[in-house]
């Protein structure tokens, strides 16, 4: 029950590029899996799905999702967009490397066609970077998981420190 599930690149393509290889219920499971949900949490999200285990196994075998480490995921708070996102004085090189990290993270989780990815791609200074971050966190929390959004937030804070 503590098996951690995550979408693969194939699974992300199915969701974000409007693939039609899966039945609607399988797509719903794939969307719910995001990038870091335990099987137990998935069961709680979909209590009326009688064939959940069989469909998860089918998605695993067909390469739409993957199993991560067996562990209980620590709960992390959802990122709070109202708090300070980065210290005010940063070098341009540090900002650019952090922006590139954010773009890679967004591309992997929500796709390069996402409005959040586009907005982060337009960033040219610290003010616009800080303005784009809340949207990025919200999109990742909604599409992937709040845990992934918190992970991105922590890494950006570390890089900007």
């Amino acid at each position: 029950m503590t098996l951690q599930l995550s979408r693969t690149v194939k699974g992300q393509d199915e969701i974000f590029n409007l693939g039609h290889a899966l039945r609607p219920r399988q797509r719903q499971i794939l969307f719910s899996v995001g990038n870091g949900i335990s099987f137990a949490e998935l069961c709680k999200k979909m209590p009326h799905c009688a064939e959940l285990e069989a469909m998860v196994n089918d998605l695993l075998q067909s390469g739409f999702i993957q199993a991560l480490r067996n562990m209980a995921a620590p709960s992390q708070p959802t990122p709070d967009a109202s708090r300070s996102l980065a210290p005010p004085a940063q070098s341009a090189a540090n900002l650019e490397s952090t922006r590139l990290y954010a773009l890679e993270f967004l591309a992997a989780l929500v796709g390069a066609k996402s409005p959040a990815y586009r907005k982060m791609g337009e960033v040219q200074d610290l003010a616009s970077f800080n303005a784009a971050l809340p949207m990025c966190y919200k999109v990742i929390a909604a599409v992937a998981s709040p845990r992934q959004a918190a992970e991105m937030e922590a890494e950006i804070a570390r890089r900007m420190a």
Side-chain angles (χ1 to χ4, degrees):
M1 293 300 269
T2 60
L3 179 68
Q4 287 291 110
L5 302 170
S6 171
R7 272 189 227 127
T8 62
V9 173
K10 182 178 178 181
Q12 289 177 347
D13 284 345
E14 176 72 16
I15 294 290
F16 299 115
N17 296 330
L18 304 175
H20 297 288
L22 299 175
R23 295 178 304 190
R25 186 61 121 185
Q26 289 174 312
R27 282 183 61 81
Q28 182 182 8
I29 293 169
L30 184 61
F31 187 81
S32 295
V33 164
N35 286 323
I37 187 171
S38 72
F39 183 72
E41 290 174 69
L42 186 61
C43 289
K44 288 178 188 173
K45 276 187 170 183
M46 305 183 79
H48 302 294
C49 184
E51 300 173 357
L52 182 63
E53 188 172 349
M55 283 194 249
V56 166
N57 283 332
D58 187 39
L59 289 170
L60 279 165
Q61 290 179 356
S62 50
F64 288 100
I65 60 175
Q66 63 187 348
L68 301 175
R69 312 169 245 155
N70 282 346
M71 61 180 231
S75 61
Q76 295 183 2
T78 303
D80 181 3
S82 64
R83 64 184 136 145
S84 174
L85 300 171
Q90 296 298 323
S91 71
N94 192 22
L95 175 62
E96 184 60 16
S97 72
T98 304
R99 185 182 78 85
L100 291 174
Y101 162 79
L103 284 170
E104 289 175 18
F105 201 92
L106 285 163
L109 295 179
V110 299
K113 295 180 181 177
S114 159
Y117 183 91
R118 187 181 68 246
K119 188 166 182 112
M120 185 56 72
E122 296 169 354
V123 165
Q124 294 182 3
D125 59 13
L126 186 60
S128 60
F129 181 76
N130 283 338
L133 280 176
M135 178 185 186
C136 296
Y137 296 148
K138 287 178 185 176
V139 168
I140 289 174
V143 174
S145 73
R147 182 182 61 81
Q148 294 290 98
E151 181 182 309
M152 178 183 174
E153 182 180 21
E155 180 62 19
I156 286 176
R158 186 191 70 75
R159 289 173 179 249
M160 296 299 284

